[in-house]
Amino acid sequence: MSNHEVIQEYSNSIKNLKKQCIDAGMTEDEFRRMYLNSLETLDDADRPANVQRRAVTKYRVLLVGLLITLYIVYDYKSIYSSVVCNLQEYIYPGLKLLRKMSIPFISLFPSLTEYYHETCLIQNPYFAVVDMDCWPCSTVTNIRQVYDPKPVSQQQTAPFIYETEQQIINMEMLKQMYLLNKETFDKESPKILTNNKYYSSPHYLFIDRPIDDQSFYIWKFNNMNVAKVLRQVIPRPKVVPKFGQSTERFIIIDTSQRSFNIPDTECSFSFLLALSGSREIHLLPAEECKHQCKPLKVELKETYLLWYNWWYWRPAVQSSLGNNTFIAHVGSYC
């Protein structure tokens, strides 16, 4: 029997009942009150059963969830290993699918692509290594100068300097490099950190910047197109092996003569190359090694390169009494 037929039969039954009550001397208002009271009685009779049924279901779900949680906590290692092993072959296809799904979103917000190459979007300033072995820096007492530099290996942790064959690059040469490759720089590296407070553009730095400006700029590059342009004017240093140089580079321009810290690089083996001007550099021991290692200092002259490991030392450029602009290139090797 269909729902329509059931409803029609129910309606006919109510009509017959109403007719019988009216024939027996009952008014329509009395019948209506009696009918509504009967419906409320049925609703009150069903409600406790429904409430009780829902409460039982709720407690069952909570109990099952608690048992699953206790099982996961008790046997976490085996469950984690099993999940990782079974999902290993799906990681790459899943990430590939996610990348394809994100293409429409990236098309709407193309500026988000600058974060593709970021290993860490937000650094933790309170990060420290527990029980860090500081012997590589504990025996170093000065920064030696090398006269016949060779490609270094990852075992070379002691800092040193040497004079490179790098040509001097001043602001005018940087400006010409930017103008010749303006489209690439504006697209790939459009932001320059100014005084560690705000971002400006390459156009402002080379075109709109006031002549008497006293600031320092950190221009970060993190892609292959810009790396190819920089390689034409800043060749790979001799101490950096042919393979392993990080794509991440920095150009630092300082006209403020104030002290500032060199940014950490992607790889721990880093170099600071003076392209123009000279400044005193202090290598400060890392927080974990400051009680075992001593701070070092060196005068970094034009075209000189300082090789160091930022895992143990953090370089800081010191203030200067002169008025020359200091331009440096920062790179790293893994």
Side-chain angles (χ1 to χ4, degrees), residues 142-147 159-164 257 272-283 295-307 315-326 328:
N142 64 340
I143 301 175
R144 62 190 179 93
Q145 182 170 351
V146 176
Y147 296 95
F160 62 87
I161 64 169
Y162 75 94
E163 185 177 7
T164 69
Q257 315 305 324
L272 175 63
L273 174 60
L275 302 176
S276 179
S278 62
R279 297 288 289 273
E280 185 176 279
I281 310 297
H282 287 190
L283 291 183
L296 309 174
K297 63 180 180 179
V298 65
E299 180 72 20
L300 190 64
K301 302 177 182 179
E302 283 183 338
T303 72
Y304 273 74
L305 181 143
L306 170 62
W307 178 270
V317 179
Q318 300 305 301
S319 58
S320 173
L321 298 178
N323 59 357
N324 62 329
T325 299
F326 179 68

Side-chain angles (χ1 to χ4, degrees), residues 89-123:
E89 58 183 281
Y90 300 103
I91 293 178
Y92 179 77
L95 292 177
K96 185 177 180 181
L97 176 62
L98 179 62
R99 183 176 61 182
K100 290 183 177 180
M101 293 172 60
S102 66
I103 289 178
F105 185 77
I106 294 298
S107 300
L108 295 176
F109 305 99
S111 60
L112 295 177
T113 56
E114 66 180 278
Y115 300 112
Y116 276 8
H117 304 280
E118 294 290 346
T119 56
C120 184
L121 296 181
I122 301 177
Q123 291 186 342

Side-chain angles (χ1 to χ4, degrees), residues 147-330:
Y147 296 95
D148 186 22
K150 302 294 183 181
V152 298
S153 63
Q154 293 193 5
Q155 284 70 38
Q156 181 62 49
T157 58
F160 62 87
I161 64 169
Y162 75 94
E163 185 177 7
T164 69
E165 298 177 356
Q166 173 67 47
Q167 64 172 330
I168 296 176
I169 299 179
N170 54 26
M171 284 295 295
E172 184 60 30
M173 295 182 65
L174 283 179
K175 178 180 178 180
Q176 294 302 321
M177 180 188 69
Y178 165 70
L179 294 177
L180 290 175
N181 304 275
K182 188 176 186 302
E183 183 177 353
T184 300
F185 283 113
D186 288 345
K187 179 181 179 181
E188 306 286 353
S189 302
K191 297 191 298 185
I192 300 177
L193 182 62
T194 306
N195 294 330
N196 284 335
K197 294 181 180 180
Y198 55 90
Y199 285 96
S200 57
S201 65
H203 187 274
Y204 171 82
L205 175 62
F206 296 111
I207 308 299
D208 298 334
R209 183 174 62 92
I211 299 178
D212 58 348
D213 171 65
Q214 293 186 349
S215 303
F216 74 90
Y217 303 88
I218 299 178
W219 196 3
K220 181 179 180 179
F221 313 100
N222 203 5
N223 51 71
M224 291 301 300
N225 293 330
V226 175
K228 292 177 181 178
V229 175
L230 292 178
R231 184 65 64 85
Q232 298 175 7
V233 295
I234 309 176
R236 175 175 53 85
K238 288 183 178 180
V239 293
V240 179
K242 187 175 182 180
F243 301 102
Q245 183 175 2
S246 173
T247 306
E248 178 192 65
R249 295 119 192 271
F250 298 88
I251 293 291
I252 296 176
I253 303 170
D254 176 48
T255 61
S256 67
Q257 315 305 324
R258 296 191 296 267
S259 61
F260 59 90
N261 296 325
I262 299 297
D264 294 340
T265 55
E266 181 180 8
C267 304
S268 59
F269 295 92
S270 309
F271 62 87
L272 175 63
L273 174 60
L275 302 176
S276 179
S278 62
R279 297 288 289 273
E280 185 176 279
I281 310 297
H282 287 190
L283 291 183
L284 306 177
E287 187 68 22
E288 299 88 341
C289 298
K290 65 180 182 180
H291 300 298
Q292 301 182 41
C293 306
K294 60 181 298 185
L296 309 174
K297 63 180 180 179
V298 65
E299 180 72 20
L300 190 64
K301 302 177 182 179
E302 283 183 338
T303 72
Y304 273 74
L305 181 143
L306 170 62
W307 178 270
Y308 63 95
N309 187 335
W310 71 259
W311 194 253
Y312 302 104
W313 287 281
R314 306 296 168 86
V317 179
Q318 300 305 301
S319 58
S320 173
L321 298 178
N323 59 357
N324 62 329
T325 299
F326 179 68
I327 302 176
H329 174 239
V330 181

